[in-house]
Amino acid sequence: MPKRILEGVVVSDKGDKTVVVVVQRTLLHPVMKKIVRLSKKYHAHDEANAFKEGDVARIRECAPKSKLKRWEVLSKDAPASAQ
């Protein structure tokens, strides 16, 4: 089964080898028929402590690394999607 990859903004890098990434998504409300923005925070493992607050990070599912961390950041020099 492929691992999910999400993209979001780092909102905290205070923990050692940990970043908190906010991922926003939009959906159509089933009753109101308006577009609604939802956001969710993910704790992700950052082995090199490379990401700082405000950076855009891509995170990937992984095996649990701690109580909260089930995601890991992809390296900064990883190529973006082919354009």
Side-chain angles (χ1 to χ4, degrees):
M1 186 159 100
K3 297 179 185 211
R4 290 184 293 166
I5 295 178
L6 302 176
E7 189 169 331
V9 178
V10 176
V11 291
S12 174
D13 61 344
K14 290 182 176 20
D16 185 34
K17 297 185 180 179
T18 303
V19 293
V20 180
V21 179
V22 170
V23 175
Q24 286 195 344
R25 65 189 187 101
T26 59
L27 60 91
L28 187 65
H29 192 280
V31 175
M32 303 299 289
K33 304 300 184 202
K34 292 179 79 173
I35 293 180
V36 180
R37 282 190 304 181
L38 299 177
S39 62
K40 185 170 179 183
K41 290 183 181 180
Y42 295 93
H43 290 254
H45 183 70
D46 179 16
E47 183 67 37
N49 282 324
F51 288 84
K52 301 298 175 205
E53 219 171 294
D55 291 349
V56 174
R58 290 169 49 91
I59 57 176
R60 175 179 60 191
E61 274 185 311
C62 66
K65 300 209 182 269
S66 71
K67 178 182 173 182
L68 296 174
K69 291 195 289 187
R70 270 85 173 129
W71 296 80
E72 60 191 4
V73 293
L74 300 175
S75 61
K76 265 193 167 181
D77 54 343
S81 60
Q83 296 177 8

